[in-house]
Amino acid sequence: MWLLAAAWVLGWQPAVAQLSAEQQRLLQQLPAEERSALLQGRGEPQRTAERPEFPELVRQDAAREAERQREADAARRIGPGDTLVIEFRPDEARLERLDSARAALNRVAAGRLDAGNPYRLDELGRVTLPGIGSIALAGLTTGEAQVRLAAEQDLRGITIGITRLPLDRLGVEGLRPFGYELFEGVPTTFAPVSDIPVPADYRLGPGDELRVQLFGNRNAEYRLPVSRDLAINFPELGPVSVGGLTFDEVRAELERRVGEQFIGTRLSVALGELRSIRIFVLGDVRRPGSYTVSSLATMTNALFYSGGVDPRGSLRRVELKRNGEVVTTLDLYDLLLDGNTRGDRRLQPGDVIFVPPVGARVGISGEVRRPAIYELRGEATTAELLRFAGGLMPRGDSRAVRLERLDDAGARIVEELDMSSGPGRMVRLRDGDLLRIPSAVQQLEGAVVLEGNVFRPGEYQWRSGLRLTDLLGSSRELKPRSDLRYILIRREVVPNAEILLFSIDLQEAWNTPADPQRNPPLLPRDTVYVFDRDVGREHITRRLREELALQTGPERPLPVVRIEGRVQAPGEYPLEPGMAVSDLLRAGGGLQDSAFLRDVELVRYQVVDGEARIAEVRRLDLAAILAGGQPDVLLQPSDFLNVRQVSGWRAQEVIELGGEVRFPGVYPFSPGETLASVIERAGGLTDLADPRAAIFTRQTLRDREREQLDVLAARIESDLAALALSDPDNIEAVSTGQTLLRQLRTAQPTGRLVIDLEGLLAQRRGTDVKLRAGDSLFIPTTSQEVMVLGEVQFSTAHLHQSGLSREDYINRSGGLTAKADSRRIYVVRASGEVVAGNSRAMARRGGIEPGDTIVVPLDTERVRPLVLWTGATQIIYQLAIAAAAVNSF
């Protein structure tokens, strides 16, 4: 149908402007998309409305982006209250151009200034440097601040580096004016306010558009703009005045007229495009000016368009002015604190939003939910300020509130308020007041504390008659390695002022739970410590001794005693009431096996006439005391119990025998016992044993070798550095030295001691070895190989053949390399003995034997050797041979 109408309207007409009234009526009835398509088909240009398409904020994005950049740059700049780390280092190059006295002063000044870190800028943005004075740095970047400080005459010759620490400000210094963060991060563009319901009281104005749809006997759709004379031109009804009418009133009027004029026809009315209005946002806002906004925009919309209220502006007295009169005043606290938008009035053309300067302000800090600086509106009380801050935190103490304010003379005074009662809540506030809400004093009441080596440490409810065994009912409550015999209890005789320490034997408490002496009742605020035998007691007892020290005086010596020697946990312990020697032994974790009980020293110190301190030594038979044969000795402050070791006591020492012995294994030995004795206890050697190749190692030798290797490596490293500086082109020498150094660093010492096991077994004089802890002996089987190592073409092992010389075995390994040192070839016997010399010397020493190793060292002289290189190569080879022999077992 609409296609026929379109053809009739446009088919034979040259332009829309030449359409008849009926044709124009039909064109207006078409939907907007179809009407646009038909006009484009006719070649007619699309005309935009004279009013702007609504975005609500007509501003350049580039200007907003530039402002954001300025704000980000300001955030990077130094400001009042900032904390800086300023490095001051003497510039030696510049100091050399100064006279010696001035240079020395600058070096001292640099050290003094550097020790003053960190520095904090005052409220005016100035940093105060010792001996220099105050220098303004606010508004500068760190780089600019470095230039500014370097310009000071007294800082010439000093290199300066500045780091700004982004510390969060806490407490009063961290307070910020409340509510302004609402406008932080305001977007640069706003979507049109066109998708919200139109209020029923919305009054139509020029530029608004009504969408009217007829249905029933007549079907049509119209878009009817409101003209400047406040009327709409309804087809076949004529002009309809809408001036001063709300949307509901206009809809009712149209329904009445359509009902009268078109029988059996009903209509639906909706608002289409809304008009734009121009308003002004002035005063203390971020971007004051004129704005084109939607006719549905409110006061808060306008504030957002302008970037929000400046921190200097008031949030509580935002004025809406119309025709020079104040229509309403918006209090943004109603929105921020209560979510109340009733005061957010809709704008009309020409309205002015004016933000006056901020009014009186007061601060609140401490244990409140929203500590901040709040603006007052008229008279306000402390209770109202507390409501603004969201009320007290659970830890807040309303009975000890402090109000800080300036009196009439400008002096700061402090008033104590009890805000738990009426008078304290009704105190009237003044501009600049600060309300501090402290934390309630954290006192433990009605509970006991369990700490230490337990599975469930923490606070436990106290009840009358609570005993230690109620808190620790069984060993399941304790972690492994807990000391049951020394449970320490800290009791507050006077809360927070005086403590008493005493210990309990938990095992005895479990055995006799009804005994009040062994299982005493606990009191509120008691702390029970369970000690770990492995960790020790010192980390806890030290803290308790420090508390006891606060209670001492001239007439009250420090109640501490000490135990040392052969006990499990030596150290200082609190002196308990009625504490005796046996109690101190229990505190020390008990005796070691090596303790000598018959003669224990108790050293007691006394001050004579207040002039001298003397020591009295008492001898105690600890065995008799513990057996009950002698009375226990009560202790006094500063007593020292020394438990000595049994004479001649040694820890059990063993030697490991391995290889071809009849009964290999670990054998304990007594002091002074020899290797021959232990071999005899092990059943001697087997028939396959080769005693010439016995490998005897000792831990003390291994430790000494490690030290010598480290020393040698350090010396070679130093020589390499000197060689690299003196002869940098000698790359080959440096590379060889680095290889030797790396091998020395990774070489593992064996601690091998060369012994004559054949002579030892034959009981030849001077061949036996006295044993030490950590010794080991390995007896290899008879060897048939001869090993060739070092600078030969192919390092390998050869089957031993009688009559072959050292050179014969070297030739069988391909001969010497170009780097070989033929003058220093040596042989390491299976016993570890080293034989050097030429072939004739070797023949005189028995020639090459099974198990020998021929070593061809590196010729270090060919690469301009340093003094230690030759010895280093021999050590490396010998360590490798010994390690290979030991690891073969």
Side-chain angles (χ1 to χ4, degrees):
M1 176 66 185
W2 72 269
L3 289 174
L4 296 175
W8 181 71
V9 171
L10 301 175
W12 300 280
Q13 300 297 327
V16 177
Q18 300 173 356
L19 297 178
S20 65
E22 180 63 18
Q23 290 172 332
Q24 291 183 15
R25 184 184 67 80
L26 291 174
L27 182 63
Q28 289 296 326
Q29 293 178 1
L30 296 176
E33 295 80 3
E34 298 169 2
R35 184 169 64 243
S36 176
L38 289 174
L39 290 175
Q40 289 179 356
R42 292 279 298 174
E44 292 293 326
Q46 293 293 298
R47 295 181 176 86
T48 58
E50 293 182 1
R51 67 181 185 280
E53 281 290 322
F54 191 77
E56 300 180 327
L57 181 58
V58 184
R59 289 287 182 186
Q60 295 294 328
D61 284 351
R64 293 182 182 272
E65 183 63 27
E67 181 174 351
R68 259 204 322 269
Q69 291 294 335
R70 288 193 297 271
E71 292 176 354
D73 182 65
R76 291 192 296 266
R77 294 182 178 274
I78 299 172
D82 282 353
T83 301
L84 306 178
V85 173
I86 308 178
E87 298 182 47
F88 298 91
R89 295 289 182 268
D91 186 346
E92 297 298 337
R94 297 183 62 184
L95 292 178
E96 289 178 356
R97 297 194 291 269
L98 302 177
D99 61 88
S100 57
R102 182 65 179 173
L105 288 176
N106 278 24
R107 291 187 181 95
V108 173
R112 182 180 68 251
L113 292 170
D114 199 62
N117 276 300
Y119 290 94
R120 188 176 182 194
L121 274 66
D122 60 18
E123 65 276 3
L124 299 179
R126 301 173 302 184
V127 62
T128 301
L129 302 179
I132 305 296
S134 297
I135 302 173
L137 299 180
L140 304 180
T141 64
T142 54
E144 293 168 345
Q146 290 177 201
V147 175
R148 171 64 186 88
L149 293 181
E152 288 292 317
Q153 181 66 32
D154 293 334
L155 297 179
R156 301 288 173 85
I158 297 177
T159 301
I160 299 173
I162 298 180
T163 301
R164 176 172 173 262
L165 302 180
L167 300 178
D168 290 335
R169 299 181 184 180
L170 304 176
V172 175
E173 295 181 353
L175 294 182
R176 298 180 58 190
F178 173 76
Y180 294 92
E181 63 274 9
L182 175 67
F183 303 104
E184 293 179 358
V186 175
T188 59
T189 59
F190 292 88
V193 183
S194 59
D195 55 354
I196 62 175
V198 177
D201 61 348
Y202 178 76
R203 297 187 182 277
L204 298 182
D208 286 335
E209 181 185 70
L210 290 176
R211 293 182 178 180
V212 180
Q213 183 178 10
L214 300 178
F215 54 93
N217 288 339
R218 294 178 64 92
N219 294 310
E221 183 178 346
Y222 305 106
R223 289 176 176 264
L224 307 176
V226 179
S227 63
R228 293 184 178 180
D229 57 357
L230 298 178
I232 59 174
N233 188 15
F234 199 111
E236 300 186 20
L237 290 182
V240 178
S241 177
V242 297
L245 300 180
T246 65
F247 174 68
D248 275 1
E249 293 171 342
V250 171
R251 178 166 51 192
E253 175 65 17
L254 291 178
E255 288 177 349
R256 185 185 65 79
R257 290 201 179 190
V258 168
E260 293 176 353
Q261 299 291 330
F262 306 121
I263 303 301
T265 301
R266 300 178 64 183
L267 87 162
S268 171
V269 183
L271 271 174
E273 295 184 3
L274 301 178
R275 69 183 184 275
S276 299
I277 62 175
R278 182 169 292 276
I279 54 97
F280 297 89
V281 184
L282 303 174
D284 286 304
V285 294
R286 296 182 185 274
R287 291 186 293 272
S290 173
Y291 293 89
T292 300
V293 299
S294 165
S295 56
L296 292 179
T298 64
M299 296 175 68
T300 54
N301 296 141
L303 291 176
F304 272 101
Y305 302 156
S306 65
V309 179
D310 188 84
R312 296 168 297 182
S314 172
L315 293 180
R316 308 203 63 186
R317 295 179 293 114
V318 181
E319 298 175 351
L320 172 60
K321 295 185 176 183
R322 187 172 294 157
N323 299 323
E325 301 292 333
V326 177
V327 177
T328 186
T329 300
L330 173 64
D331 188 348
L332 285 174
Y333 277 24
D334 293 340
L335 173 64
L336 294 169
L337 297 175
D338 303 322
N340 185 355
T341 60
R342 285 181 297 180
D344 192 13
R345 296 281 291 272
R346 191 177 301 112
L347 302 177
Q348 295 185 14
D351 280 355
V352 175
I353 309 297
F354 180 75
V355 179
V358 68
R361 282 177 169 174
V362 294
I364 182 169
S365 68
E367 296 299 326
V368 291
R369 301 187 185 278
R370 284 192 300 264
I373 299 172
Y374 292 90
E375 182 183 357
L376 301 182
R377 185 178 182 182
E379 292 186 349
T381 63
T382 52
E384 184 177 1
L385 178 59
L386 188 60
R387 184 183 72 84
F388 288 167
L392 295 176
M393 297 285 285
R395 298 186 302 272
D397 189 354
S398 61
R399 296 169 299 179
V401 177
R402 295 194 301 273
L403 175 63
E404 300 179 10
R405 62 173 30 158
L406 297 177
D407 62 10
D408 295 336
R412 179 165 292 277
I413 60 175
V414 178
E415 298 180 14
E416 300 285 344
L417 303 179
D418 183 359
M419 291 189 64
S420 63
S421 61
R425 299 176 62 84
M426 300 306 296
V427 175
R428 303 218 173 258
L429 299 173
R430 304 177 189 172
D431 188 13
D433 282 356
L434 174 63
L435 201 65
R436 295 179 184 263
I437 311 296
S439 298
V441 178
Q442 301 295 313
Q443 295 286 354
L444 181 67
E445 300 292 348
V448 294
V449 180
L450 179 61
E451 293 187 12
N453 200 46
V454 293
F455 285 110
R456 292 182 293 184
E459 299 173 357
Y460 289 82
Q461 180 182 358
W462 177 85
R463 63 183 183 276
S464 180
L466 180 71
R467 296 175 181 265
L468 179 62
T469 53
D470 298 324
L471 194 64
L472 296 171
S474 70
S475 59
R476 294 183 179 180
E477 306 285 342
L478 307 175
K479 292 182 178 179
R481 301 289 297 163
S482 295
D483 190 349
L484 303 181
R485 298 204 59 209
Y486 187 66
I487 306 296
L488 191 60
I489 298 177
R490 175 189 180 274
R491 175 163 294 171
E492 295 189 12
V493 179
V494 179
N496 301 324
E498 183 177 352
I499 66 170
L500 173 68
L501 299 172
F502 61 96
S503 65
I504 300 296
D505 187 330
L506 184 58
Q507 190 63 60
E508 290 187 357
W510 284 338
N511 295 335
T512 56
D515 188 342
Q517 298 296 324
R518 292 178 173 151
N519 187 27
L522 299 177
L523 298 181
R525 302 166 67 96
D526 279 357
T527 302
V528 179
Y529 297 98
V530 179
F531 296 105
D532 186 335
R533 290 183 178 273
D534 296 329
V535 175
R537 299 143 152 73
E538 179 63 20
H539 63 290
I540 294 178
T541 57
R542 183 192 304 112
R543 184 172 72 246
L544 297 176
R545 293 197 307 269
E546 291 172 355
E547 288 190 73
L548 289 175
L550 299 177
Q551 304 173 188
T552 61
E555 304 298 328
R556 193 175 185 183
L558 179 64
V560 170
V561 290
R562 183 176 178 181
I563 184 171
E564 294 291 344
R566 295 302 161 181
V567 291
Q568 302 293 343
E572 290 185 325
Y573 293 92
L575 177 62
E576 308 169 24
M579 188 176 189
V581 169
S582 59
D583 297 318
L584 182 56
L585 288 176
R586 184 166 50 84
L591 297 167
Q592 295 181 5
D593 294 339
S594 59
F596 181 54
L597 305 183
R598 295 298 179 185
D599 186 10
V600 175
E601 289 184 346
L602 176 62
V603 181
R604 178 162 292 171
Y605 296 93
Q606 293 181 348
V607 177
V608 179
D609 299 330
E611 296 181 354
R613 188 187 191 204
I614 61 174
E616 175 191 355
V617 180
R618 298 180 60 182
R619 302 285 181 179
L620 304 179
D621 186 345
L622 198 55
I625 292 176
L626 296 177
Q630 290 185 9
D632 214 343
V633 178
L634 293 178
L635 298 176
Q636 297 180 9
S638 302
D639 278 359
F640 188 122
L641 189 67
N642 184 24
V643 181
R644 294 177 293 179
Q645 179 177 279
V646 172
S647 178
W649 180 276
R650 289 189 181 185
Q652 192 175 61
E653 299 175 326
V654 296
I655 180 175
E656 181 181 2
L657 300 183
E660 296 300 324
V661 292
R662 294 192 181 278
F663 301 103
V666 176
Y667 288 83
F669 59 87
S670 58
E673 190 171 358
T674 64
L675 180 59
S677 173
V678 175
I679 292 176
E680 182 180 356
R681 290 163 53 193
L685 308 184
T686 68
D687 296 337
L688 299 177
D690 184 0
R692 297 179 306 105
I695 301 170
F696 184 85
T697 61
R698 176 163 286 174
Q699 181 61 44
T700 55
L701 294 179
R702 192 177 298 119
D703 297 338
R704 194 182 308 169
E705 285 179 12
R706 180 72 273 169
E707 294 176 3
Q708 294 299 322
L709 287 174
D710 292 340
V711 171
L712 183 59
R715 293 177 62 185
I716 290 181
E717 188 174 21
S718 175
D719 290 346
L720 272 176
L723 178 62
L725 292 175
S726 61
D727 192 3
D729 296 330
N730 195 349
I731 299 175
E732 183 180 5
V734 173
S735 175
T736 302
Q738 290 175 342
T739 301
L740 288 174
L741 181 61
R742 184 168 56 253
Q743 292 174 342
L744 281 175
R745 296 288 191 196
T746 58
Q748 295 298 323
T750 61
R752 184 175 184 180
L753 176 65
V754 178
I755 63 173
D756 182 4
L757 188 57
E758 288 182 312
L760 183 150
L761 295 175
Q763 299 182 357
R764 285 201 292 267
R765 188 174 181 179
T767 58
D768 208 349
V769 180
K770 289 185 178 181
L771 299 178
R772 297 182 184 176
D775 286 352
S776 61
L777 175 66
F778 298 94
I779 310 296
T781 58
T782 303
S783 176
Q784 295 180 293
E785 302 87 17
V786 174
M787 180 73 70
V788 181
L789 296 177
E791 295 300 322
V792 293
Q793 300 297 338
F794 185 69
S795 297
T796 186
H798 303 276
L799 191 64
H800 177 265
Q801 294 183 22
S802 300
L804 292 183
S805 66
R806 183 181 66 183
E807 281 69 22
D808 294 333
Y809 287 106
I810 292 175
N811 291 332
R812 291 191 174 192
S813 293
L816 304 177
T817 66
K819 297 180 180 179
D821 188 349
S822 59
R823 296 173 299 169
R824 294 187 174 90
I825 299 174
Y826 59 93
V827 176
V828 180
R829 298 288 192 193
S831 63
E833 179 187 6
V834 178
V835 180
N838 54 29
S839 298
R840 288 192 295 273
M842 285 296 304
R844 290 195 298 270
R845 299 288 296 272
I848 303 299
E849 300 175 352
D852 287 352
T853 301
I854 302 172
V855 180
V856 181
L858 173 71
D859 185 3
T860 54
E861 292 184 359
R862 63 185 301 277
V863 290
R864 299 184 182 179
L866 300 177
V867 177
L868 301 175
W869 290 17
T870 300
T873 56
Q874 294 177 358
I875 291 174
I876 292 170
Y877 283 128
Q878 292 173 19
L879 286 174
I881 295 169
V886 172
N887 293 334
S888 64
F889 300 98

